[in-house]
Amino acid sequence: MIKKCLFPAAGYGTRFLPATKAMPKEMLPVVNKPLIQYGVEEALEAGLNGIAIVTGRGKRALEDHFDISYELENQIRNTDKEKYLVGIRKLLDECTFSYTRQIEMKGLGHAILSGRSLIGDEPFAVVLADDLCVNPEGDGVLEQMVKLYKQFRCSIVAIQEVDPQETSKYGVIAGEMIRDDIYRVHSMVEKPKPEDAPSNLAIIGRYILTPDIFDLIEQTEPGKGGEIQITDALMKQAKDGCVLAYKFKGQRFDCGSAEGYIDATNYCFENFYKKGQL
Ligand code: G1P
């Protein structure tokens, strides 16, 4: 079954400069918790405790975050501040963390391929930490997708309907509806202009991938923006076999944009922090 979750985290985070000049964008806090920790918690909830992170230069804070800080532990032992570390301690106890570096920034497909040695020959999940997903009503988005994988055994992308004018920010799919929330993908385009988009169903940063994707990425030529796109590799997989697109239950915040980041902050403050859940 799926045990590992890959976090591509080598990107520069240019949309959040200057905040991200010396700090990884994945460490930006939403209220008091860094974005990547929300993602790792979502993975663990889905039963994925092998956390594989693709990092890059200037990203050491990520490794330090998922480690013990003895000095800090010593300082706050037996004080009321210990409660702030309960969440991260649980992750350290229950997950294993492995890291590799993406040496060159050649796109999301290339970042995922860089994680191949951490994943091996098994199906795995991918989380883009700047998409923060919540579903207070039930299972988290990854857990929903892992359950679907058990049923269908093929790659799955999470999708949501977006404003047709916004398609150029996303990978966009078209396909045959096989359940009211599942499509079998026929076509997939990375960041199309609205007039070229096959639909308004946009891929968000949650994927389940079967391991044959690695060979497909290797055979994928640079696409949009001169980068090796996971969307193009998935399109090949869809042609030869099956890729599903799943309209997830819950809410997604695009924390790569200032607006989405503020919305996520307000949401988490109201729904988690004020209820003592952060
Ligand atoms: C990436 C993918 C895109 C997807 C998006 C979701 O783009 O390439 O297909 O829709 O993530 O967040 P990025 O936002 O990294 O440019």
Side-chain angles (χ1 to χ4, degrees):
M1 268 330 325
I2 306 185
K3 295 311 289 173
K4 292 182 184 169
C5 186
L6 186 72
F7 289 78
Y12 296 123
T14 45
R15 284 190 288 176
F16 263 96
L17 283 171
T20 48
K21 185 163 177 260
M23 180 182 74
K25 67 171 174 174
E26 295 77 12
M27 288 301 294
L28 286 170
V30 171
V31 189
N32 58 344
K33 193 156 72 178
L35 272 170
I36 192 151
Q37 190 176 334
Y38 286 90
V40 173
E41 285 174 357
E42 187 185 327
L44 184 60
E45 256 177 56
L48 280 49
N49 65 354
I51 306 299
I53 305 184
V54 178
T55 68
R57 286 178 287 280
K59 299 277 187 165
R60 288 214 186 130
L62 289 170
E63 288 167 64
D64 290 340
H65 186 69
F66 296 112
D67 197 354
I68 288 182
S69 163
Y70 285 103
E71 236 176 77
L72 178 68
E73 297 272 337
N74 200 35
Q75 277 292 327
I76 66 171
R77 184 166 301 126
N78 300 326
T79 72
D80 66 348
K81 296 202 172 99
E82 270 198 299
K83 63 176 185 279
Y84 296 123
L85 292 183
V86 170
I88 184 81
R89 278 181 183 154
K90 179 178 154 69
L91 297 183
L92 298 185
D93 283 347
E94 297 184 19
C95 297
T96 56
F97 292 86
S98 55
Y99 300 87
T100 191
R101 278 199 187 202
Q102 186 183 4
I103 308 294
E104 290 173 281
M105 302 301 137
K106 292 203 277 190
L108 179 57
H110 179 259
I112 292 173
L113 184 60
S114 307
R116 184 176 200 163
S117 60
L118 304 179
I119 300 296
D121 192 24
E122 51 187 277
F124 62 104
V126 174
V127 167
L128 307 184
D130 49 12
D131 275 341
L132 195 158
C133 293
V134 294
N135 182 28
E137 318 277 276
D139 293 345
V141 177
L142 265 193
E143 191 165 2
Q144 296 167 38
M145 293 172 77
V146 166
K147 284 183 178 164
L148 267 192
Y149 177 79
K150 286 183 184 155
Q151 204 181 333
F152 290 96
R153 310 258 162 184
C154 63
S155 290
I156 307 170
V157 296
I159 51 165
Q160 70 174 172
E161 283 181 35
V162 295
D163 180 336
Q165 294 310 311
E166 305 258 281
T167 55
S168 60
K169 292 185 186 164
Y170 301 94
V172 177
I173 71 111
E176 166 202 356
M177 192 190 250
I178 59 171
R179 206 173 82 181
D180 61 347
D181 54 353
I182 304 176
Y183 294 79
R184 193 187 164 118
V185 172
H186 291 163
S187 85
M188 215 175 216
V189 191
E190 180 66 10
K191 305 199 171 89
K193 289 189 201 131
E195 57 271 31
D196 301 329
S199 76
N200 68 334
L201 298 172
I203 302 170
I204 63 120
R206 298 290 181 279
Y207 305 76
I208 303 267
L209 301 174
T210 52
D212 53 313
I213 198 71
F214 291 124
D215 284 344
L216 293 171
I217 299 172
E218 265 177 353
Q219 295 154 20
T220 299
E221 296 294 325
K224 191 90 189 178
E227 297 187 327
I228 297 171
Q229 299 292 351
I230 188 63
T231 309
D232 297 340
L234 277 164
M235 186 57 223
K236 289 185 191 170
Q237 215 180 28
K239 269 194 191 138
D240 300 342
C242 180
V243 172
L244 298 180
Y246 169 60
K247 254 190 201 175
F248 64 96
K249 291 177 189 61
Q251 228 176 312
R252 166 245 177 197
F253 299 96
D254 171 16
C255 293
S257 75
E259 197 187 355
Y261 179 73
I262 298 300
D263 286 348
T265 304
N266 286 328
Y267 180 94
C268 292
F269 182 66
E270 288 299 328
N271 293 281
F272 303 142
Y273 188 81
K274 277 190 176 173
K275 294 178 185 165
Q277 291 170 12
L278 265 184

